[in-house]
Amino acid sequence: MTDKVAKLCTGVIYQVYLRSFYDGNGDGIGDLVGLREKLPAIADLGCDAIWINPCYPSPQHDHGYDISDYRSINPEYGTFADFLQLIEQAHAYGLQVLMDIVPNHCSVEHAWFQAALHSAPDSPERNRFIFRSGRGENGELPPNNWQSVFGGSAWSRITEPSGEAGQWYLHLFDSSQPDFNWRNPEVAQEFLSILNFWYDCGVDGFRIDVAHGNFKSADLGDDTSPDFPYSYNWRMWNQPEVHDIYRSWRACGDERGGKYLVGEVWLPAGVAKGEYVRPDELHQAFAFDLLVQPWKAPEMRAAIDFALTECAGNNFPAWALANHDVHRAVTRYGQNQVADNPSAAAMIAAGRNFAQTDIELGTRRALAAIALVLALPGSTFIYQGEELGLPEYLDIPDAARQDPIWLRSQGVDKGRDGCRIPLPWDAEKQNFGFSTAEKHTLWLPQPEWFAKYARSRQEKLSDSFLAKYRKLLKLRAEIFHPIGNLQWLSDKDVGNVLAFRAGRGVCVVNLAAQEFSVPSTWNLTNLAFNTAGGCQAEIIPANSASWYICENSAQ
Ligand code: NOJ
């Protein structure tokens, strides 16, 4: 592993949801010029890299995850030259640049899919996707019972060039996102060529969208699980053939001087992802199990142990408490927790729970949670706006909602728009400084209460969420590096507390509603920081985390 890749495996990576980061040209949509302008804000936090959500040409039915051209830049976001300049500038700030690659599906506007629509059934053009004839007397029923992740059938029927109702194509997500046929070697070749195209531009690696997707069970048989359609459809995901893809991608990146690969592998909580991070596959996979845990020490500890064990010996996990698909951490941790021992589906639903929220409690917990994650061995991904302590915007007016999940579920599932709101940069400016566009013309509306969270306000306060976040990031490098293996200090039955040693430091998180007295046997005297402003080494306030420096703890 090269030094650059190793740095990312233990580094801090800032996730840029470009559409909502900063608008450089005043059209109400974030863009590359805006990102370039604000790179110092990311570098100042102490990050090692940025991951940019898909910025390729796309009709934006799933906000960039429906790609129509994998070798270009969406004109809404800028030009190709803007992108090259971004890479250059980011590198100058010491930030590596990760793109988002979407291999499971493209857009219906992609040239290959358009060619498929205009070709005959069984043609080579159709064979790049998963087309099948329908069931029923006249093929009027979908080829199987699979459900789309976004709701409804996973199949849509096309009209043949002759004008007759024709075959069906598979889409695990929106109908605007046809799935590639990875059993066709042409698809594998195409993606290797795409990776190389971006490596030639200086890109340092990729976040891989639905990395456990791509291959489907060869027979495309019905989902026969007893609780269909609410269970996990094992025929759609996690097929053994998927690992050949990542072996070839790893070899490709290694040949190109070492390129980093991290996979979005959303398997049900408790299902191992270890195979994805074998030494010749991806460097890391996101440890989503931790993200979906309730604010309870035993559950969180089990998720941490699980993630560490499944990649033991090879590497460390990629930790994340938020991203563009789940509710913001402040909101999740400020809500009533799901019942004990919930099903995997309930845990994942908890990531987008619309229950009443105690923002103050959520804010304390979110800061303690990031202190926990930053102390763990591995990399930490920070979703833009988390450093401001932004809550989810739950009450977006229905007419403004854009997420295909909202549209396909006819409003039953409100979707993910609330964590994708344009960032508040300056409380005193129009659109909180995100854009000079006319008010009310942003692609998603900002709530008035965003002013309180604006970076401009937080910069002026030494105890703001942002100031504390920054402090944690700075201390992380001093205390928890070089990275070492985690050793638990707390017994499993110590109560609602997590305590562990890693690197030169110890992290103790008190998840309880009362303060915690640190046992003297833990020998923790050198307090470096407490997230709630506590200043006694031996007392940890409720819902807060303390970091300690232990000079003699080199492992
Ligand atoms: C996962 C992405 O994070 C999400 O935003 C997207 O909708 C789906 N994959 C489909 O690409």
Side-chain angles (χ1 to χ4, degrees), residues 287-288 290-292 295 300 319-323 326-330 332-333 365-374 380-383 386 469:
F288 290 127
L290 180 61
L291 185 157
V292 299
W295 189 245
M300 289 184 118
W319 306 102
L321 290 177
N323 62 33
V326 293
H327 281 178
R328 286 196 173 274
V330 162
R332 284 205 326 273
Y333 292 128
R365 288 177 172 177
L367 205 52
I370 193 68
L372 161 72
V373 159
L374 286 171
T380 302
F381 279 69
I382 296 174
Y383 178 47
E386 287 293 291
Y469 218 91

PDB file of all heavy atoms in Angstrom, residues 287-288 290-292 295 300 319-323 326-330 332-333 365-374 380-383 386 469:
ATOM      1  N   ALA A 287     -18.405   1.232   7.680  1.00  0.00           N
ATOM      2  CA  ALA A 287     -18.941   0.458   8.811  1.00  0.00           C
ATOM      3  C   ALA A 287     -20.308   1.035   9.180  1.00  0.00           C
ATOM      4  O   ALA A 287     -20.446   1.714  10.193  1.00  0.00           O
ATOM      5  CB  ALA A 287     -17.975   0.540   9.984  1.00  0.00           C
ATOM      6  N   PHE A 288     -21.301   0.751   8.348  1.00  0.00           N
ATOM      7  CA  PHE A 288     -22.621   1.354   8.578  1.00  0.00           C
ATOM      8  C   PHE A 288     -23.323   0.797   9.808  1.00  0.00           C
ATOM      9  O   PHE A 288     -24.252   1.410  10.323  1.00  0.00           O
ATOM     10  CB  PHE A 288     -23.522   1.141   7.358  1.00  0.00           C
ATOM     11  CG  PHE A 288     -23.104   1.947   6.163  1.00  0.00           C
ATOM     12  CD1 PHE A 288     -22.900   1.342   4.941  1.00  0.00           C
ATOM     13  CD2 PHE A 288     -22.924   3.317   6.254  1.00  0.00           C
ATOM     14  CE1 PHE A 288     -22.530   2.082   3.829  1.00  0.00           C
ATOM     15  CE2 PHE A 288     -22.548   4.074   5.152  1.00  0.00           C
ATOM     16  CZ  PHE A 288     -22.355   3.450   3.936  1.00  0.00           C
ATOM     17  N   LEU A 290     -22.419   0.747  12.751  1.00  0.00           N
ATOM     18  CA  LEU A 290     -22.333   1.674  13.881  1.00  0.00           C
ATOM     19  C   LEU A 290     -23.318   2.820  13.699  1.00  0.00           C
ATOM     20  O   LEU A 290     -23.979   3.248  14.649  1.00  0.00           O
ATOM     21  CB  LEU A 290     -20.901   2.205  14.023  1.00  0.00           C
ATOM     22  CG  LEU A 290     -20.694   3.185  15.171  1.00  0.00           C
ATOM     23  CD1 LEU A 290     -21.010   2.525  16.508  1.00  0.00           C
ATOM     24  CD2 LEU A 290     -19.272   3.726  15.188  1.00  0.00           C
ATOM     25  N   LEU A 291     -23.423   3.295  12.455  1.00  0.00           N
ATOM     26  CA  LEU A 291     -24.314   4.432  12.173  1.00  0.00           C
ATOM     27  C   LEU A 291     -25.755   4.148  12.594  1.00  0.00           C
ATOM     28  O   LEU A 291     -26.449   5.041  13.068  1.00  0.00           O
ATOM     29  CB  LEU A 291     -24.233   4.737  10.675  1.00  0.00           C
ATOM     30  CG  LEU A 291     -24.955   5.944  10.116  1.00  0.00           C
ATOM     31  CD1 LEU A 291     -24.298   6.384   8.802  1.00  0.00           C
ATOM     32  CD2 LEU A 291     -26.425   5.733   9.874  1.00  0.00           C
ATOM     33  N   VAL A 292     -26.197   2.920  12.428  1.00  0.00           N
ATOM     34  CA  VAL A 292     -27.611   2.631  12.694  1.00  0.00           C
ATOM     35  C   VAL A 292     -27.882   2.176  14.135  1.00  0.00           C
ATOM     36  O   VAL A 292     -29.014   1.839  14.470  1.00  0.00           O
ATOM     37  CB  VAL A 292     -28.198   1.588  11.702  1.00  0.00           C
ATOM     38  CG1 VAL A 292     -28.123   2.107  10.290  1.00  0.00           C
ATOM     39  CG2 VAL A 292     -27.496   0.238  11.820  1.00  0.00           C
ATOM     40  N   TRP A 295     -28.340   4.907  20.810  1.00  0.00           N
ATOM     41  CA  TRP A 295     -27.364   5.518  21.719  1.00  0.00           C
ATOM     42  C   TRP A 295     -27.235   4.647  22.970  1.00  0.00           C
ATOM     43  O   TRP A 295     -27.685   5.011  24.061  1.00  0.00           O
ATOM     44  CB  TRP A 295     -27.831   6.938  22.050  1.00  0.00           C
ATOM     45  CG  TRP A 295     -26.843   7.767  22.804  1.00  0.00           C
ATOM     46  CD1 TRP A 295     -26.991   8.246  24.083  1.00  0.00           C
ATOM     47  CD2 TRP A 295     -25.576   8.239  22.352  1.00  0.00           C
ATOM     48  NE1 TRP A 295     -25.880   8.983  24.440  1.00  0.00           N
ATOM     49  CE2 TRP A 295     -24.996   8.996  23.399  1.00  0.00           C
ATOM     50  CE3 TRP A 295     -24.860   8.093  21.158  1.00  0.00           C
ATOM     51  CZ2 TRP A 295     -23.750   9.607  23.283  1.00  0.00           C
ATOM     52  CZ3 TRP A 295     -23.619   8.701  21.044  1.00  0.00           C
ATOM     53  CH2 TRP A 295     -23.080   9.449  22.100  1.00  0.00           C
ATOM     54  N   MET A 300     -23.442  -0.256  20.572  1.00  0.00           N
ATOM     55  CA  MET A 300     -22.391   0.414  19.810  1.00  0.00           C
ATOM     56  C   MET A 300     -21.091  -0.363  19.883  1.00  0.00           C
ATOM     57  O   MET A 300     -20.373  -0.508  18.897  1.00  0.00           O
ATOM     58  CB  MET A 300     -22.207   1.843  20.311  1.00  0.00           C
ATOM     59  CG  MET A 300     -23.383   2.733  19.937  1.00  0.00           C
ATOM     60  SD  MET A 300     -23.104   4.422  20.438  1.00  0.00           S
ATOM     61  CE  MET A 300     -23.133   5.271  18.897  1.00  0.00           C
ATOM     62  N   TRP A 319     -15.263   4.705   8.974  1.00  0.00           N
ATOM     63  CA  TRP A 319     -16.385   5.047   9.864  1.00  0.00           C
ATOM     64  C   TRP A 319     -17.122   6.264   9.321  1.00  0.00           C
ATOM     65  O   TRP A 319     -16.517   7.179   8.774  1.00  0.00           O
ATOM     66  CB  TRP A 319     -15.877   5.372  11.268  1.00  0.00           C
ATOM     67  CG  TRP A 319     -15.016   4.304  11.877  1.00  0.00           C
ATOM     68  CD1 TRP A 319     -13.651   4.313  11.971  1.00  0.00           C
ATOM     69  CD2 TRP A 319     -15.451   3.070  12.482  1.00  0.00           C
ATOM     70  NE1 TRP A 319     -13.211   3.160  12.593  1.00  0.00           N
ATOM     71  CE2 TRP A 319     -14.287   2.386  12.925  1.00  0.00           C
ATOM     72  CE3 TRP A 319     -16.691   2.477  12.695  1.00  0.00           C
ATOM     73  CZ2 TRP A 319     -14.345   1.146  13.558  1.00  0.00           C
ATOM     74  CZ3 TRP A 319     -16.749   1.239  13.328  1.00  0.00           C
ATOM     75  CH2 TRP A 319     -15.588   0.590  13.748  1.00  0.00           C
ATOM     76  N   ALA A 320     -18.433   6.286   9.512  1.00  0.00           N
ATOM     77  CA  ALA A 320     -19.224   7.454   9.108  1.00  0.00           C
ATOM     78  C   ALA A 320     -20.451   7.509  10.005  1.00  0.00           C
ATOM     79  O   ALA A 320     -21.047   6.473  10.312  1.00  0.00           O
ATOM     80  CB  ALA A 320     -19.657   7.329   7.653  1.00  0.00           C
ATOM     81  N   LEU A 321     -20.802   8.693  10.437  1.00  0.00           N
ATOM     82  CA  LEU A 321     -22.012   8.853  11.251  1.00  0.00           C
ATOM     83  C   LEU A 321     -23.134   9.474  10.452  1.00  0.00           C
ATOM     84  O   LEU A 321     -24.252   9.641  10.950  1.00  0.00           O
ATOM     85  CB  LEU A 321     -21.714   9.743  12.469  1.00  0.00           C
ATOM     86  CG  LEU A 321     -20.815   9.123  13.534  1.00  0.00           C
ATOM     87  CD1 LEU A 321     -20.553  10.133  14.639  1.00  0.00           C
ATOM     88  CD2 LEU A 321     -21.459   7.861  14.113  1.00  0.00           C
ATOM     89  N   ALA A 322     -22.825   9.906   9.238  1.00  0.00           N
ATOM     90  CA  ALA A 322     -23.850  10.567   8.428  1.00  0.00           C
ATOM     91  C   ALA A 322     -23.407  10.516   6.978  1.00  0.00           C
ATOM     92  O   ALA A 322     -22.224  10.332   6.678  1.00  0.00           O
ATOM     93  CB  ALA A 322     -24.012  12.025   8.861  1.00  0.00           C
ATOM     94  N   ASN A 323     -24.342  10.649   6.101  1.00  0.00           N
ATOM     95  CA  ASN A 323     -24.051  10.846   4.685  1.00  0.00           C
ATOM     96  C   ASN A 323     -25.332  11.376   4.037  1.00  0.00           C
ATOM     97  O   ASN A 323     -26.287  11.734   4.748  1.00  0.00           O
ATOM     98  CB  ASN A 323     -23.513   9.565   4.018  1.00  0.00           C
ATOM     99  CG  ASN A 323     -24.503   8.418   4.051  1.00  0.00           C
ATOM    100  OD1 ASN A 323     -25.714   8.626   3.985  1.00  0.00           O
ATOM    101  ND2 ASN A 323     -24.018   7.199   4.160  1.00  0.00           N
ATOM    102  N   VAL A 326     -28.917   9.327   4.893  1.00  0.00           N
ATOM    103  CA  VAL A 326     -29.545   9.121   6.201  1.00  0.00           C
ATOM    104  C   VAL A 326     -29.724  10.458   6.908  1.00  0.00           C
ATOM    105  O   VAL A 326     -29.106  11.447   6.536  1.00  0.00           O
ATOM    106  CB  VAL A 326     -28.699   8.192   7.110  1.00  0.00           C
ATOM    107  CG1 VAL A 326     -28.667   6.780   6.563  1.00  0.00           C
ATOM    108  CG2 VAL A 326     -27.292   8.729   7.300  1.00  0.00           C
ATOM    109  N   HIS A 327     -30.540  10.455   7.938  1.00  0.00           N
ATOM    110  CA  HIS A 327     -30.749  11.700   8.674  1.00  0.00           C
ATOM    111  C   HIS A 327     -29.479  12.130   9.387  1.00  0.00           C
ATOM    112  O   HIS A 327     -28.666  11.302   9.786  1.00  0.00           O
ATOM    113  CB  HIS A 327     -31.886  11.525   9.685  1.00  0.00           C
ATOM    114  CG  HIS A 327     -33.230  11.611   9.043  1.00  0.00           C
ATOM    115  ND1 HIS A 327     -34.393  11.445   9.729  1.00  0.00           N
ATOM    116  CD2 HIS A 327     -33.579  11.868   7.760  1.00  0.00           C
ATOM    117  CE1 HIS A 327     -35.418  11.592   8.905  1.00  0.00           C
ATOM    118  NE2 HIS A 327     -34.946  11.841   7.711  1.00  0.00           N
ATOM    119  N   ARG A 328     -29.371  13.434   9.546  1.00  0.00           N
ATOM    120  CA  ARG A 328     -28.167  13.986  10.174  1.00  0.00           C
ATOM    121  C   ARG A 328     -28.042  13.473  11.603  1.00  0.00           C
ATOM    122  O   ARG A 328     -29.040  13.213  12.287  1.00  0.00           O
ATOM    123  CB  ARG A 328     -28.205  15.502  10.116  1.00  0.00           C
ATOM    124  CG  ARG A 328     -27.930  16.025   8.699  1.00  0.00           C
ATOM    125  CD  ARG A 328     -27.582  17.471   8.704  1.00  0.00           C
ATOM    126  NE  ARG A 328     -27.172  17.954   7.407  1.00  0.00           N
ATOM    127  CZ  ARG A 328     -25.924  17.893   6.931  1.00  0.00           C
ATOM    128  NH1 ARG A 328     -24.967  17.336   7.652  1.00  0.00           N
ATOM    129  NH2 ARG A 328     -25.645  18.379   5.736  1.00  0.00           N
ATOM    130  N   ALA A 329     -26.769  13.384  12.056  1.00  0.00           N
ATOM    131  CA  ALA A 329     -26.494  12.750  13.356  1.00  0.00           C
ATOM    132  C   ALA A 329     -27.218  13.458  14.496  1.00  0.00           C
ATOM    133  O   ALA A 329     -27.772  12.805  15.387  1.00  0.00           O
ATOM    134  CB  ALA A 329     -24.987  12.727  13.600  1.00  0.00           C
ATOM    135  N   VAL A 330     -27.240  14.788  14.486  1.00  0.00           N
ATOM    136  CA  VAL A 330     -27.890  15.527  15.573  1.00  0.00           C
ATOM    137  C   VAL A 330     -29.348  15.084  15.704  1.00  0.00           C
ATOM    138  O   VAL A 330     -29.865  14.902  16.816  1.00  0.00           O
ATOM    139  CB  VAL A 330     -27.799  17.049  15.294  1.00  0.00           C
ATOM    140  CG1 VAL A 330     -28.803  17.824  16.122  1.00  0.00           C
ATOM    141  CG2 VAL A 330     -26.383  17.549  15.537  1.00  0.00           C
ATOM    142  N   ARG A 332     -30.777  12.179  14.514  1.00  0.00           N
ATOM    143  CA  ARG A 332     -30.907  10.755  14.889  1.00  0.00           C
ATOM    144  C   ARG A 332     -30.693  10.562  16.377  1.00  0.00           C
ATOM    145  O   ARG A 332     -31.442   9.874  17.057  1.00  0.00           O
ATOM    146  CB  ARG A 332     -29.898   9.911  14.120  1.00  0.00           C
ATOM    147  CG  ARG A 332     -30.260   9.664  12.685  1.00  0.00           C
ATOM    148  CD  ARG A 332     -29.601   8.381  12.163  1.00  0.00           C
ATOM    149  NE  ARG A 332     -28.303   8.141  12.745  1.00  0.00           N
ATOM    150  CZ  ARG A 332     -27.163   8.636  12.276  1.00  0.00           C
ATOM    151  NH1 ARG A 332     -27.175   9.392  11.206  1.00  0.00           N
ATOM    152  NH2 ARG A 332     -26.012   8.364  12.867  1.00  0.00           N
ATOM    153  N   TYR A 333     -29.632  11.219  16.897  1.00  0.00           N
ATOM    154  CA  TYR A 333     -29.320  11.001  18.302  1.00  0.00           C
ATOM    155  C   TYR A 333     -30.242  11.790  19.235  1.00  0.00           C
ATOM    156  O   TYR A 333     -30.208  11.616  20.448  1.00  0.00           O
ATOM    157  CB  TYR A 333     -27.853  11.343  18.587  1.00  0.00           C
ATOM    158  CG  TYR A 333     -26.894  10.370  17.925  1.00  0.00           C
ATOM    159  CD1 TYR A 333     -25.849  10.814  17.132  1.00  0.00           C
ATOM    160  CD2 TYR A 333     -27.056   8.999  18.090  1.00  0.00           C
ATOM    161  CE1 TYR A 333     -24.978   9.922  16.527  1.00  0.00           C
ATOM    162  CE2 TYR A 333     -26.200   8.097  17.488  1.00  0.00           C
ATOM    163  CZ  TYR A 333     -25.148   8.561  16.699  1.00  0.00           C
ATOM    164  OH  TYR A 333     -24.308   7.672  16.105  1.00  0.00           O
ATOM    165  N   ARG A 365     -24.991  14.577  21.991  1.00  0.00           N
ATOM    166  CA  ARG A 365     -24.633  13.196  21.630  1.00  0.00           C
ATOM    167  C   ARG A 365     -23.846  13.132  20.318  1.00  0.00           C
ATOM    168  O   ARG A 365     -22.924  12.329  20.177  1.00  0.00           O
ATOM    169  CB  ARG A 365     -25.903  12.351  21.497  1.00  0.00           C
ATOM    170  CG  ARG A 365     -26.554  12.044  22.832  1.00  0.00           C
ATOM    171  CD  ARG A 365     -27.831  11.268  22.603  1.00  0.00           C
ATOM    172  NE  ARG A 365     -28.423  10.783  23.836  1.00  0.00           N
ATOM    173  CZ  ARG A 365     -29.576  10.129  23.882  1.00  0.00           C
ATOM    174  NH1 ARG A 365     -30.267   9.911  22.767  1.00  0.00           N
ATOM    175  NH2 ARG A 365     -30.061   9.703  25.030  1.00  0.00           N
ATOM    176  N   ALA A 366     -24.235  13.962  19.361  1.00  0.00           N
ATOM    177  CA  ALA A 366     -23.546  13.922  18.052  1.00  0.00           C
ATOM    178  C   ALA A 366     -22.084  14.301  18.217  1.00  0.00           C
ATOM    179  O   ALA A 366     -21.205  13.728  17.560  1.00  0.00           O
ATOM    180  CB  ALA A 366     -24.243  14.842  17.064  1.00  0.00           C
ATOM    181  N   LEU A 367     -21.812  15.247  19.100  1.00  0.00           N
ATOM    182  CA  LEU A 367     -20.419  15.646  19.318  1.00  0.00           C
ATOM    183  C   LEU A 367     -19.657  14.521  20.025  1.00  0.00           C
ATOM    184  O   LEU A 367     -18.510  14.213  19.688  1.00  0.00           O
ATOM    185  CB  LEU A 367     -20.387  16.930  20.153  1.00  0.00           C
ATOM    186  CG  LEU A 367     -19.154  17.803  20.011  1.00  0.00           C
ATOM    187  CD1 LEU A 367     -18.835  18.133  18.564  1.00  0.00           C
ATOM    188  CD2 LEU A 367     -19.354  19.102  20.789  1.00  0.00           C
ATOM    189  N   ALA A 368     -20.319  13.894  20.991  1.00  0.00           N
ATOM    190  CA  ALA A 368     -19.677  12.768  21.682  1.00  0.00           C
ATOM    191  C   ALA A 368     -19.456  11.618  20.696  1.00  0.00           C
ATOM    192  O   ALA A 368     -18.425  10.934  20.729  1.00  0.00           O
ATOM    193  CB  ALA A 368     -20.548  12.308  22.854  1.00  0.00           C
ATOM    194  N   ALA A 369     -20.420  11.432  19.791  1.00  0.00           N
ATOM    195  CA  ALA A 369     -20.317  10.323  18.833  1.00  0.00           C
ATOM    196  C   ALA A 369     -19.164  10.555  17.859  1.00  0.00           C
ATOM    197  O   ALA A 369     -18.431   9.618  17.516  1.00  0.00           O
ATOM    198  CB  ALA A 369     -21.632  10.165  18.068  1.00  0.00           C
ATOM    199  N   ILE A 370     -18.969  11.796  17.440  1.00  0.00           N
ATOM    200  CA  ILE A 370     -17.857  12.016  16.499  1.00  0.00           C
ATOM    201  C   ILE A 370     -16.533  11.868  17.240  1.00  0.00           C
ATOM    202  O   ILE A 370     -15.543  11.388  16.673  1.00  0.00           O
ATOM    203  CB  ILE A 370     -17.983  13.356  15.723  1.00  0.00           C
ATOM    204  CG1 ILE A 370     -17.004  13.383  14.545  1.00  0.00           C
ATOM    205  CG2 ILE A 370     -17.782  14.565  16.597  1.00  0.00           C
ATOM    206  CD1 ILE A 370     -17.301  12.433  13.447  1.00  0.00           C
ATOM    207  N   ALA A 371     -16.513  12.220  18.534  1.00  0.00           N
ATOM    208  CA  ALA A 371     -15.283  12.010  19.321  1.00  0.00           C
ATOM    209  C   ALA A 371     -14.986  10.510  19.409  1.00  0.00           C
ATOM    210  O   ALA A 371     -13.829  10.082  19.306  1.00  0.00           O
ATOM    211  CB  ALA A 371     -15.429  12.608  20.711  1.00  0.00           C
ATOM    212  N   LEU A 372     -16.038   9.724  19.551  1.00  0.00           N
ATOM    213  CA  LEU A 372     -15.868   8.262  19.586  1.00  0.00           C
ATOM    214  C   LEU A 372     -15.254   7.768  18.281  1.00  0.00           C
ATOM    215  O   LEU A 372     -14.250   7.056  18.249  1.00  0.00           O
ATOM    216  CB  LEU A 372     -17.245   7.611  19.816  1.00  0.00           C
ATOM    217  CG  LEU A 372     -17.376   6.140  19.454  1.00  0.00           C
ATOM    218  CD1 LEU A 372     -16.621   5.276  20.454  1.00  0.00           C
ATOM    219  CD2 LEU A 372     -18.840   5.701  19.414  1.00  0.00           C
ATOM    220  N   VAL A 373     -15.875   8.180  17.181  1.00  0.00           N
ATOM    221  CA  VAL A 373     -15.478   7.672  15.868  1.00  0.00           C
ATOM    222  C   VAL A 373     -14.060   8.131  15.497  1.00  0.00           C
ATOM    223  O   VAL A 373     -13.267   7.370  14.955  1.00  0.00           O
ATOM    224  CB  VAL A 373     -16.537   8.130  14.843  1.00  0.00           C
ATOM    225  CG1 VAL A 373     -16.001   8.124  13.457  1.00  0.00           C
ATOM    226  CG2 VAL A 373     -17.762   7.235  14.952  1.00  0.00           C
ATOM    227  N   LEU A 374     -13.760   9.389  15.819  1.00  0.00           N
ATOM    228  CA  LEU A 374     -12.436   9.909  15.453  1.00  0.00           C
ATOM    229  C   LEU A 374     -11.326   9.193  16.215  1.00  0.00           C
ATOM    230  O   LEU A 374     -10.177   9.180  15.784  1.00  0.00           O
ATOM    231  CB  LEU A 374     -12.363  11.414  15.725  1.00  0.00           C
ATOM    232  CG  LEU A 374     -13.116  12.311  14.736  1.00  0.00           C
ATOM    233  CD1 LEU A 374     -13.149  13.747  15.237  1.00  0.00           C
ATOM    234  CD2 LEU A 374     -12.506  12.253  13.344  1.00  0.00           C
ATOM    235  N   THR A 380     -12.228   8.312   8.986  1.00  0.00           N
ATOM    236  CA  THR A 380     -13.522   8.888   9.328  1.00  0.00           C
ATOM    237  C   THR A 380     -14.009   9.723   8.153  1.00  0.00           C
ATOM    238  O   THR A 380     -13.270  10.572   7.647  1.00  0.00           O
ATOM    239  CB  THR A 380     -13.418   9.811  10.567  1.00  0.00           C
ATOM    240  OG1 THR A 380     -12.896   9.056  11.653  1.00  0.00           O
ATOM    241  CG2 THR A 380     -14.781  10.364  10.942  1.00  0.00           C
ATOM    242  N   PHE A 381     -15.228   9.462   7.724  1.00  0.00           N
ATOM    243  CA  PHE A 381     -15.839  10.264   6.667  1.00  0.00           C
ATOM    244  C   PHE A 381     -16.792  11.261   7.316  1.00  0.00           C
ATOM    245  O   PHE A 381     -17.663  10.871   8.101  1.00  0.00           O
ATOM    246  CB  PHE A 381     -16.610   9.375   5.692  1.00  0.00           C
ATOM    247  CG  PHE A 381     -15.716   8.711   4.674  1.00  0.00           C
ATOM    248  CD1 PHE A 381     -14.822   7.730   5.042  1.00  0.00           C
ATOM    249  CD2 PHE A 381     -15.766   9.088   3.330  1.00  0.00           C
ATOM    250  CE1 PHE A 381     -13.980   7.129   4.120  1.00  0.00           C
ATOM    251  CE2 PHE A 381     -14.926   8.481   2.391  1.00  0.00           C
ATOM    252  CZ  PHE A 381     -14.033   7.503   2.783  1.00  0.00           C
ATOM    253  N   ILE A 382     -16.607  12.550   6.994  1.00  0.00           N
ATOM    254  CA  ILE A 382     -17.459  13.601   7.558  1.00  0.00           C
ATOM    255  C   ILE A 382     -18.338  14.155   6.447  1.00  0.00           C
ATOM    256  O   ILE A 382     -17.840  14.686   5.455  1.00  0.00           O
ATOM    257  CB  ILE A 382     -16.599  14.734   8.140  1.00  0.00           C
ATOM    258  CG1 ILE A 382     -15.773  14.189   9.304  1.00  0.00           C
ATOM    259  CG2 ILE A 382     -17.469  15.906   8.578  1.00  0.00           C
ATOM    260  CD1 ILE A 382     -14.793  15.192   9.857  1.00  0.00           C
ATOM    261  N   TYR A 383     -19.618  14.042   6.636  1.00  0.00           N
ATOM    262  CA  TYR A 383     -20.560  14.568   5.635  1.00  0.00           C
ATOM    263  C   TYR A 383     -20.676  16.078   5.814  1.00  0.00           C
ATOM    264  O   TYR A 383     -20.831  16.556   6.945  1.00  0.00           O
ATOM    265  CB  TYR A 383     -21.918  13.885   5.819  1.00  0.00           C
ATOM    266  CG  TYR A 383     -22.987  14.377   4.880  1.00  0.00           C
ATOM    267  CD1 TYR A 383     -22.745  14.521   3.522  1.00  0.00           C
ATOM    268  CD2 TYR A 383     -24.261  14.697   5.352  1.00  0.00           C
ATOM    269  CE1 TYR A 383     -23.728  14.979   2.657  1.00  0.00           C
ATOM    270  CE2 TYR A 383     -25.253  15.146   4.496  1.00  0.00           C
ATOM    271  CZ  TYR A 383     -24.978  15.284   3.146  1.00  0.00           C
ATOM    272  OH  TYR A 383     -25.940  15.737   2.292  1.00  0.00           O
ATOM    273  N   GLU A 386     -21.959  18.418   8.908  1.00  0.00           N
ATOM    274  CA  GLU A 386     -21.915  17.760  10.220  1.00  0.00           C
ATOM    275  C   GLU A 386     -21.035  18.550  11.172  1.00  0.00           C
ATOM    276  O   GLU A 386     -21.276  18.576  12.372  1.00  0.00           O
ATOM    277  CB  GLU A 386     -21.401  16.319  10.086  1.00  0.00           C
ATOM    278  CG  GLU A 386     -22.394  15.370   9.459  1.00  0.00           C
ATOM    279  CD  GLU A 386     -23.613  15.145  10.339  1.00  0.00           C
ATOM    280  OE1 GLU A 386     -23.491  14.518  11.402  1.00  0.00           O
ATOM    281  OE2 GLU A 386     -24.695  15.630   9.936  1.00  0.00           O
ATOM    282  N   TYR A 469     -15.469  20.754  17.040  1.00  0.00           N
ATOM    283  CA  TYR A 469     -15.209  19.761  15.993  1.00  0.00           C
ATOM    284  C   TYR A 469     -13.760  19.907  15.498  1.00  0.00           C
ATOM    285  O   TYR A 469     -13.026  18.943  15.340  1.00  0.00           O
ATOM    286  CB  TYR A 469     -16.178  20.032  14.844  1.00  0.00           C
ATOM    287  CG  TYR A 469     -16.724  18.808  14.161  1.00  0.00           C
ATOM    288  CD1 TYR A 469     -17.913  18.231  14.590  1.00  0.00           C
ATOM    289  CD2 TYR A 469     -16.091  18.253  13.056  1.00  0.00           C
ATOM    290  CE1 TYR A 469     -18.452  17.136  13.946  1.00  0.00           C
ATOM    291  CE2 TYR A 469     -16.622  17.155  12.408  1.00  0.00           C
ATOM    292  CZ  TYR A 469     -17.799  16.600  12.850  1.00  0.00           C
ATOM    293  OH  TYR A 469     -18.332  15.511  12.212  1.00  0.00           O
TER     294      TYR A 469
END
